[in-house]
Amino acid sequence: MPNAVITGIDTHAHIFRRDLPMVAGRRYSPDYDATVEQYLAHLDACGLSHGVLIQPSFLGTDNHYMVAALQRFPGRLRGVAVVDAQISDDELDELAAAGVVGIRLNLIGKLLEDYTGPAWSGLFRRLARRGWQVEIQRGFADLALVVPAILESGVTVVIDHFGLPAASVQLDDPQHAPFFDLLGQAPVWIKLSAAYRSQSDLARARAIEARLREACGGVGRFLWGSDWPNTQFESQTRYDEQFALLEALLPDPEERRRVLVDTPATLFGFAHA
């Protein structure tokens, strides 16, 4: 569907098979398969036209399964890969040809590296020249320690899952001012996704969204993602419930269109018909 009208873009989902090689020391091992066909069926059921596949952390830098799906559905899907800092330009070219538009840093449970060092800063500059993004998953309190060094390269930064504010986080605490100040600087985008990973109910999610909206000056840099198949929380939520949460957070149709269509179409390289 290369010329399909964009009705909505889910910017955060994962596909995998349980028999794929997985990295040592992983925090999670799936006991089921999450296929691209299942994912596209969820998009269809919610009236969404396009999606972005995010390489699962437990598959490490072996992006082959995701890339194969991108190649099968080039008009409908884009991808965000996990790579080593030393990845070659030829390898980046191959990923780009398949529909990859960024890389992910899942920093949960990891010591922060020196992202100003030559390896990472060099990679970020190479990504910036390609117009790619760097997507970051890290706890709320540490984001201001990570993002500025990455922004200096000129690359686009996308923050996962509301910034993962723990249930104990007080949004008006002055110690979090640096993070909210960061959101006032383009180019930083943030995903309204996986509120359950922060133990946030609808009321809490609304409070977080309101504070993020204030910091960002509106909804223009918001994205939405289902986080399907909701790894580690499979028994607690469903795809349609995550879509319903977005509708509850953004009841205004024009704002919802910006978040579901206009912003992600540009950021992830989907052409409007």
Side-chain angles (χ1 to χ4, degrees):
M1 49 187 299
N3 297 314
V5 173
I6 300 175
T7 59
I9 302 170
D10 173 0
T11 69
H12 199 106
H14 311 283
I15 61 169
F16 48 81
R17 290 199 323 261
R18 74 193 91 178
D19 63 347
L20 291 171
M22 298 186 189
V23 297
R26 59 191 177 276
R27 296 178 295 115
Y28 172 83
S29 300
D31 60 0
Y32 61 96
D33 299 339
T35 68
V36 69
E37 290 84 2
Q38 290 171 312
Y39 174 56
L40 294 177
H42 285 299
L43 292 181
D44 292 341
C46 288
L48 303 172
S49 55
H50 295 76
V52 181
L53 301 179
I54 311 297
Q55 171 75 348
S57 299
F58 49 81
L59 296 183
T61 59
D62 184 352
N63 297 282
H64 288 94
Y65 188 68
M66 179 186 73
V67 163
L70 299 180
Q71 291 170 330
R72 288 178 59 199
F73 302 97
R76 198 167 188 189
L77 299 175
R78 295 290 182 271
V80 173
V82 173
V83 304
D84 293 321
Q86 294 79 16
I87 187 172
S88 70
D89 285 336
D90 286 345
E91 290 171 305
L92 289 175
D93 288 341
E94 291 177 6
L95 290 172
V100 171
V101 294
I103 71 164
R104 190 188 199 204
L105 300 177
N106 186 345
L107 307 179
I108 300 299
K110 296 182 179 179
L111 294 175
L112 294 180
E113 297 189 40
D114 179 11
Y115 294 108
T116 62
W120 281 111
S121 64
L123 173 60
F124 297 147
R125 286 194 296 271
R126 289 190 286 148
L127 300 181
R129 289 194 293 269
R130 294 168 177 272
W132 281 23
Q133 61 175 265
V134 174
E135 183 174 300
I136 300 170
Q137 182 173 219
R138 181 71 179 187
F140 195 83
D142 288 342
L143 283 166
L145 304 176
V146 180
V147 175
I150 298 174
L151 282 174
E152 287 179 6
S153 69
V155 79
T156 296
V157 169
V158 178
I159 295 171
D160 281 349
H161 305 336
F162 290 87
L164 289 174
S168 60
V169 165
Q170 300 298 312
L171 299 175
D172 57 355
D173 189 322
Q175 71 173 312
H176 301 306
F179 170 68
F180 291 116
D181 290 343
L182 271 179
L183 295 183
Q185 308 171 24
V188 179
W189 279 254
I190 191 156
K191 291 184 181 179
L192 306 182
S193 56
Y196 50 83
R197 296 193 185 276
S198 302
Q199 296 81 51
S200 297
D201 59 12
L202 177 58
R204 172 70 168 171
R206 280 177 167 153
I208 299 167
E209 185 275 331
R211 184 66 182 89
L212 294 172
R213 177 191 295 248
E214 177 186 6
C216 292
V219 302
R221 283 184 279 121
F222 285 176
L223 305 160
W224 173 75
S226 64
D227 196 33
W228 185 82
N230 320 110
T231 53
Q232 302 181 69
F233 293 85
E234 295 92 342
S235 64
Q236 299 181 31
T237 190
R238 302 191 312 265
Y239 193 102
D240 58 342
E241 291 176 343
Q242 291 305 302
F243 188 64
L245 176 64
L246 174 72
E247 294 179 311
L249 287 176
L250 300 177
D252 180 83
E254 181 54 36
E255 287 191 342
R256 206 158 59 241
R257 175 179 172 79
R258 290 188 70 187
V259 172
L260 281 174
V261 177
D262 298 336
T263 299
T266 299
L267 188 63
F268 292 93
F270 290 105
H272 284 281

